[in-house]
Each structure stands twice: as C-alpha cells, then as structure tokens.
Amino acid sequence: MRLIILSLVVSAVAGYVYDTKWYTVPLDHLNFGTNKTFKLRYLINDTYWDKSNDGPIFFYTGNEGDIEMFAENTGFMWEIAPKFKALLVFAEHRYYGKSLPFGNNTYSDLKNMGYLSSSQALADYADLLMHLQQNRTEEVGTSSKRSGARYPVIAFGGSYGGMLAAWFRMKYPYVVDGAIAASAPVLQFTGMVPCEAFSRIVSSDFKAASHNCSDRIKASWSAIDRVSATADGLKWLSSNWSLCSPLKNAENVSALKDWMVGMITNVAMLDYPYPTNFILPLPGYPVQEMCRKILTKEAQNSSLDQDKALLMSIFSGFQVAFNYSGNSSCLNVKVQSSDQLGDDGWDYQSCTEMVMPMCSDGNGDMFEPKKWDIKKETARCKATWGVEPQPHLAELLYGGYRGVSAASNIIFSNGLLDPWSSGGVLQAPKGSRVISITIPEGAHHLDLRGSNPMDPMTVIETRRLYGKVIQKWIRNVRPDSF
C-alpha cells in the first residue's frame, strides 16, 4: 500500500488555496532492479468537488520546477473548477521542487540521476491518479452510484508540462480522458522542425516591436567583440553593465552573450499583455518595453563612441529583463530565470531524451550564427552528467507527428508570439481526433493563466472553447454527468 501524508500547512498564495500532500511512488517504475521509493509532492483542492455526482479530476502534469509556481500561474483551472465541480490536483515532477528522490544528494551523485525521465514522471502521475481514484471512490461509500467507478480525468499542462499532458493522454488513455496541452513543443526534436525556427520567432517578436530594435540587438554582438578586445574595454563593459563578476577573458564574454540570448528568449516567451512575476518579474508587453528602452537610451548617448553608445542602450533594455523589480544590485550572468525552476534537472534531461536542436544563422534572425553540433553537445553532456544524448528517443517513445496523428482528445494550443510554437502542433493531422489552436496574440501558455482585463479576445475565445470541449469529453465518459 502506498503511503500518503497530509501536510499540516494549508497554502494560500495568490488567492489559491490548497493542501500539500505526499504520495509514495517507486523510484523505478520501468525495471525490477530496485524496490526503493520516494515521496512525490502534490497540491490538492476539493472545495468545488462533487465526488458523489461525477465531479471530474483536473490534473496538472508538473513541469521542470516547483509545483507551487505552476499552480499559482495556471488560473484557468481554478476558474473553471466550480463550474465543473472538479477536484484540483497539481502533481510535482520527480527531481524538481521538493520531490527529490535522494534528498540533498539527488544531484550530487551522478548515479542518482538515471531515474529522471519523462517516462518515469508519467508513471508517477498514473500511479498517483489511480490511487486518488480508488481512495476517493471508497470515501463516497457503497450507497453511491460512484462506488467502484472511475472519475473523469482531464490533464492540463503548459510548456514541458503541456508535452507531458499530451503524452499522458497518449500513453495512459485509460487513466486520462482528455488533455489541454498549451505551448507544448512535442515536435521540437531532431528531424522534425528546422533548428533555426525557434530563433526566427524570437527575432520576429522584436522586429514586430521595432525593426530598429532588432537591428540594434543584432549589431550588439560584434560591438561587444570590439569593445572587449582590450583589457580597458573589458573593464569598461564590466563597470558600465554593472556585472557582478568582472569580465576577464573571452570565455567570460561568451558567457555574457549566452546570458543575453537566454534573457531575450525569456522576454519573448513571456510577452504577456500585463505585468507578471512568472519566471521573471516583467512589465506588460516586455518586448515593446525593452525595445523602447533601447531606442530611447541610444538617442541619449551621443557623447560616446558608436560601439559604447550602442552597448549602453542595449544594457538599458536588458534592465527590463533582469531588474524590473529594482532589487538587483548587479547583473549576474549565472541567473536567467526564477530559482523555482530546476535548471540542473532540465539540463540533464536535455542531455538524455529532451534533445531539442537549436541554431541561428544571423540572416533570418538577430543572433550570431551558431550551428547545432550534436558531437559538441555530446561531449558537454558526457563531461557534465556522464551521459550521451539520444536525439531520437522522444520520437521513439511518443511518436512525434505520427503519435499526434494516432492520438485523441487532446487540444494543442500555441501562441504565435511564443518561440516554442516552432515545435508545436500548429495544424491537426488530417483525419485525427485532436484539435490545434493558434493564438496570434498569445505568449507562452497565456491561455492557461487566470483571466485578466488585458487578455486578447483570441485568448478569451480559446478558453471558452476549452470549456465546451472539456464538457464533451466528460459527457463521453459519463453520459449522465450533465
């Protein structure tokens, strides 16, 4: 029998109230070499649930981070739960947040890492759901028509969580009756989409804000090279960009550029129409705000030489990305996002099954030319984690486009402002039983966030469609539900 432990603390953040519970799952669902277990964290709210009359389970497939962050930024589930009289469950992904199989030693010993995979995570979710089904049905009692029956389950997820929601429905259709897979790049793998597609969407977001802005960013790469070519230039850039660690060599400069690319990407992803604190504290429409700062500051730097004037304007724009809250005393190139995300865990996964080729050519995008080099990536992964990437494993496990063609009861949504739409299902396969929605004004899974007066009409309509389809899925499971 699995163990379940109720936390004594009831959390209430951002208006969302949930109990924190722990469920004991096998360390390895896929082999018989160990009987070890660990405790998986999940958040649950049964305020609205009508467990005696077909109330469904709305299940969030946790991402690569602390589950509380995703629960508090997936307001759509909370908003529709009363209408559907649903039980809300947010399950944490193994190796992330507090669901660490080996505690503080989880990442310190490489031999502990082999149990981190999407397949193991999906098996965790299936195990937890089957436990909840049995446990909650028994609570209703034998007098109810629900006794011995299975509650309808709808999976929700955004980004990697959206991939998991879709794959959950594909792999466990007897556990999950439908899935909302928002901003889920299930095709962002070797041989499925061009590696430069992601960079081109990021660039198009900035071009849409201002061609001058994207041109300035593109010009900044060579300006950094010229300024940092001398010791005095390194000192100037370190001081004027308020770097926490001064630049000393070409390797440091390369790390700075990588940080810039990461921050530009995050701003494009999170180009929401209102201020948020999800992943990064950002203003509304941060791409436009970043470009406004770049172009305004450049006009004020006429006393500097051309390269330094450009770089000061670029730095002004980047302050929107790394210091919108005003709490950063310096620029730390080691920090690109919230500490609630598990960067180490995701790096491991990208070195095993989540191999997503990325490149840029400097022509169709605003970045420096950078080829995708699987040999170089393999060497890095072996040095860091002692593993070799398996570029085709995700396709083998989940089928890629053919897997989508064979699936049913999944809605794939993609915001066209979101660079991850490059690997999204933008068109449902002909004759398939899945739905594809594109949201022109949508950023990274904006449709799963809570309602906001600034929401574009296309997002509002998408959420309405979700409600109608979810109702249909539930009715097909329990014809007498409504």
Side-chain angles (χ1 to χ4, degrees):
M1 177 180 289
R2 303 276 188 256
L3 298 177
I4 187 165
I5 303 172
L6 173 63
S7 169
L8 297 179
V9 178
V10 177
S11 301
V13 182
Y16 303 136
V17 178
Y18 47 78
D19 293 332
T20 300
K21 296 189 178 183
W22 301 85
Y23 179 61
T24 300
V25 295
L27 177 64
D28 190 351
H29 295 272
L30 309 178
N31 297 286
F32 298 94
T34 178
N35 293 320
K36 292 183 178 179
T37 61
F38 73 98
K39 294 173 183 175
L40 189 80
R41 182 169 61 149
Y42 68 100
L43 315 177
I44 189 167
N45 179 298
D46 61 2
T47 302
Y48 316 107
W49 193 36
D50 186 353
K51 57 188 175 184
S52 298
N53 291 288
D54 300 303
I57 299 174
F58 287 174
F59 188 91
Y60 189 91
T61 49
N63 303 51
E64 69 284 20
D66 191 302
I67 191 59
E68 291 185 337
M69 178 175 66
F70 296 103
E72 292 153 11
N73 285 278
T74 311
F76 175 69
M77 289 176 62
W78 296 89
E79 290 178 1
I80 65 172
K83 171 187 175 182
F84 286 96
K85 299 180 180 180
L87 176 69
L88 290 167
V89 180
F90 295 83
E92 191 161 65
H93 194 298
R94 58 169 55 200
Y95 283 76
Y96 295 106
K98 296 182 179 179
S99 297
L100 303 177
F102 299 94
N104 293 334
N105 296 322
T106 297
Y107 285 91
S108 61
D109 192 334
L110 294 184
K111 74 175 188 294
N112 293 338
M113 296 301 297
Y115 304 100
L116 170 54
S117 72
S118 59
S119 297
Q120 296 280 11
L122 291 176
D124 289 339
Y125 298 157
D127 194 352
L128 172 59
L129 264 171
M130 294 186 75
H131 163 77
L132 291 174
Q133 291 278 10
Q134 179 181 2
N135 186 58
R136 297 288 167 155
T137 300
E138 289 174 352
E139 287 179 5
V140 173
T142 56
S143 62
S144 169
K145 66 176 181 176
R146 295 296 310 169
S147 181
R150 186 177 70 83
Y151 294 96
V153 175
I154 309 300
F156 297 77
S159 194
Y160 174 49
M163 299 165 74
L164 292 170
W167 293 338
F168 200 14
R169 167 62 185 169
M170 292 179 186
K171 288 293 187 179
Y172 296 91
Y174 50 91
V175 175
V176 181
D177 300 294
I180 305 296
S183 300
V186 294
L187 306 179
Q188 192 76 44
F189 296 100
T190 302
M192 297 188 198
V193 296
C195 65
E196 70 274 8
F198 185 94
S199 296
R200 291 185 176 183
I201 296 175
V202 174
S203 301
S204 69
D205 287 350
F206 281 82
K207 286 180 181 178
S210 168
H211 276 276
N212 287 338
C213 178
S214 60
D215 289 345
R216 299 300 184 274
I217 293 173
K218 185 173 183 178
S220 71
W221 311 115
S222 58
I224 289 174
D225 289 340
R226 288 188 292 270
V227 170
S228 65
T230 67
D232 285 343
L234 288 171
K235 185 176 181 180
W236 181 91
L237 188 54
S238 300
S239 175
N240 284 277
W241 274 36
S242 301
L243 299 182
C244 298
S245 299
L247 301 172
K248 296 181 179 180
N249 51 44
E251 184 178 352
N252 296 157
V253 173
S254 179
L256 174 62
K257 287 183 177 181
D258 288 343
W259 175 87
M260 292 170 65
V261 172
M263 294 302 283
I264 289 170
T265 297
N266 283 337
V267 170
M269 282 172 48
L270 305 172
D271 197 21
Y272 300 135
Y274 49 82
T276 64
N277 287 299
F278 177 57
I279 300 181
L280 289 171
L282 290 171
Y285 291 117
V287 170
Q288 292 184 18
E289 183 62 13
M290 189 171 174
C291 284
R292 186 186 68 81
K293 292 273 191 180
I294 289 173
L295 298 177
T296 300
K297 188 67 175 180
E298 185 177 37
Q300 300 171 356
N301 289 334
S302 57
S303 61
L304 297 173
D305 69 50
Q306 187 174 358
D307 283 341
K308 291 181 178 179
L310 171 61
L311 293 182
M312 288 306 297
S313 68
I314 294 295
F315 176 67
S316 179
F318 272 97
Q319 290 189 73
V320 172
F322 83 91
N323 198 23
Y324 176 64
S325 65
N327 295 326
S328 298
S329 58
C330 60
L331 190 164
N332 186 350
V333 299
K334 296 181 180 180
V335 177
Q336 289 186 351
S337 59
S338 169
D339 58 8
Q340 290 183 292
L341 288 177
D343 292 340
D344 287 344
W346 184 250
D347 188 55
Y348 177 85
Q349 287 192 262
S350 72
C351 279
T352 52
E353 58 177 349
M354 297 291 121
V355 185
M356 299 181 174
M358 299 284 184
C359 65
S360 54
D361 57 23
N363 292 318
D365 55 63
M366 62 184 186
F367 301 103
E368 290 184 294
K370 185 176 183 180
K371 293 183 178 180
W372 169 251
D373 188 338
I374 186 60
K375 291 183 178 179
K376 184 177 179 180
E377 180 67 0
T378 297
R380 185 191 72 82
C381 291
K382 290 179 70 174
T384 305
W385 298 108
V387 297
E388 293 190 20
Q390 299 186 47
H392 300 285
L393 182 57
E395 182 177 12
L396 175 66
L397 291 173
Y398 306 113
Y401 199 73
R402 287 176 294 177
V404 172
S405 300
S408 65
N409 289 13
I410 303 173
I411 299 180
F412 292 97
S413 68
N414 287 278
L416 298 186
L417 298 179
D418 181 14
W420 287 109
S421 65
S422 62
V425 180
L426 300 179
Q427 184 174 354
K430 187 176 181 180
S432 70
R433 292 178 291 167
V434 302
I435 297 171
S436 175
I437 299 174
T438 55
I439 307 171
E441 305 94 342
H444 203 45
H445 49 78
L446 173 60
D447 43 320
L448 289 189
R449 296 185 61 81
S451 299
N452 187 284
M454 296 294 291
D455 282 330
M457 184 54 65
T458 50
V459 171
I460 296 171
E461 290 300 322
T462 295
R463 292 175 182 145
R464 288 176 181 167
L465 176 62
Y466 288 164
K468 293 178 181 179
V469 175
I470 289 170
Q471 188 175 68
K472 179 181 177 181
W473 288 340
I474 293 172
R475 281 177 171 167
N476 286 342
V477 178
R478 299 280 179 259
D480 61 344
S481 293
F482 291 91

